[in-house]
Amino acid sequence: MNDLIQLSPEVAAARAAGRAVVALESTIIAHGMPWPQNLDTAREVEGVIRAEGAVPATIAVIGGRIRVGLTDGELQQLAQAPDAMKLSRRDLPYAVATGRLGATTVAATMICAQLAGIEVFVTGGIGGVHRGGHESFDISADLQELARTPVAVVCAGAKSILDLGLTLEYLETHGVPVLSIGQDNFAAFFTPDSGLRADFRMDDAAEQARFIRAKWALGLSGGVVVSNPVPAAQAMPREEIDAITRQALAEAGAQGIGGKAVTPFLLARIKALTGGRSLATNIALVKHNAAAGARLARALLG
């Protein structure tokens, strides 16, 4: 194990015993949700994974080391840290070298999970090609990480603020398979159905595990996207969220907001415009993904 990586006692014991472990990102805590819902959600998601018979491993950079599995105090530190860095692949060495507190994105969490020997990672929604990306080239590093890092990512599709068609095209170009649970189409974060087909429908965790094992056994590099749609009872109406997203995007453009700041701004603005209902949907879908991810991690052991 790299000496820059520190496993919590719980995660270390699970790895030694061959138990299922599920990686969790920390940007959703530091940048994706407001206080105190961010801390409550982090605790609840870890609880869902434990209830499904797996061990949660929330990942962050603390004190110059990649921490895989956090204490409750460390979760609270991230939840209340106004200056935590948002870490992707390019930022990890800086946070480690300088000792800065850093919350890992999808891309960075995949890297850290692989270093720690963890095969399954649960998030809310992956990043992707931003709307207008054919001109701006604003493409999340998450997609390139999926093309190179062998970790299965369970998500509610890609964030609906993105260009989902171009996101799927990018994944196809780089050979990243997209599996869908419970439906043929790719999920759209706040809503279950993007209207775009996923590559393969695989409802059962054992079936998903066989696919993933076959991919890696064939020497095919990179990860797998497992699209798990938000339950209909907690979903947002598609037409409403589309209209609100367009408004939030226009406001971001008018204010000159770009780069890493775009997604947190849009999610916060959508929360405000929906009177908090989008946050409730976000929390529901992450917990739903946690259960699916834990089942997949257990199936991969079989």
Side-chain angles (χ1 to χ4, degrees):
M1 183 67 64
N2 191 313
D3 63 4
L4 296 177
I5 301 174
Q6 179 180 337
L7 307 188
S8 71
E10 181 186 22
V11 172
R15 294 280 295 119
R19 293 184 60 201
V21 180
V22 176
L24 297 166
E25 61 158 292
S26 48
T27 52
I28 196 169
I29 304 170
H31 307 106
M33 291 184 183
W35 170 267
Q37 290 95 336
N38 54 356
L39 179 60
D40 293 341
T41 302
R43 290 169 171 164
E44 290 167 5
V45 167
E46 290 197 347
V48 168
I49 289 170
R50 291 190 179 99
E52 290 284 346
V55 172
T58 302
I59 295 175
V61 174
I62 301 174
R65 302 186 81 186
I66 295 169
R67 302 288 299 279
V68 181
L70 304 182
T71 67
D72 191 73
E74 288 162 344
L75 290 177
Q76 186 163 339
Q77 179 186 4
L78 278 167
Q80 294 184 293
D83 59 347
M85 290 186 67
K86 185 178 180 182
L87 305 180
S88 192
R89 171 177 279 268
R90 70 175 183 185
D91 313 298
L92 270 175
Y94 179 83
V96 169
T98 61
R100 287 282 303 276
L101 178 66
T104 53
T105 61
V106 168
T109 306
M110 289 182 70
I111 294 167
C112 299
Q114 184 196 20
L115 289 171
I118 301 171
E119 297 180 317
V120 177
F121 159 46
V122 163
T123 186
I126 60 171
V129 181
H130 281 263
R131 301 187 191 196
H134 60 288
E135 296 179 351
S136 68
F137 287 88
D138 191 350
I139 301 171
S140 171
D142 297 353
L143 300 186
Q144 189 61 44
E145 209 58 54
L146 281 159
R148 67 169 74 176
T149 302
V151 172
V153 180
V154 181
C155 58
K159 296 182 178 69
S160 51
I161 58 178
L162 304 169
D163 187 318
L164 300 186
L166 288 181
T167 296
L168 289 172
E169 288 287 352
Y170 189 103
L171 291 171
E172 179 188 10
T173 297
H174 290 274
V176 179
V178 178
L179 312 183
S180 182
I181 299 175
Q183 61 185 35
D184 294 331
N185 285 357
F186 188 55
F189 197 64
F190 292 122
T191 59
D193 189 349
S194 68
L196 302 166
R197 290 290 290 257
D199 297 319
F200 311 103
R201 175 174 173 173
M202 293 188 174
D203 297 348
D204 182 69
E207 187 181 20
Q208 298 156 19
R210 286 194 296 272
F211 178 97
I212 293 163
R213 285 278 176 248
K215 178 182 191 293
W216 293 337
L218 290 168
L220 299 173
S221 61
V224 175
V225 174
V226 181
S227 169
N228 185 41
V230 60
Q234 285 84 39
M236 296 283 296
R238 184 172 172 181
E239 296 77 11
E240 179 187 7
I241 200 67
D242 284 349
I244 287 172
T245 297
R246 287 193 295 270
Q247 179 181 339
L249 283 164
E251 292 176 5
Q255 296 178 38
I257 296 169
K260 287 184 179 183
V262 171
T263 297
F265 172 84
L266 293 176
L267 291 177
R269 193 70 188 110
I270 291 169
K271 172 181 173 287
L273 292 169
T274 60
R277 287 180 295 129
S278 65
L279 178 58
T281 297
N282 196 347
I283 292 168
L285 65 85
V286 175
K287 292 165 68 174
H288 188 54
N289 293 344
R295 290 192 292 268
L296 174 57
R298 291 176 58 207
L300 282 165
L301 294 178

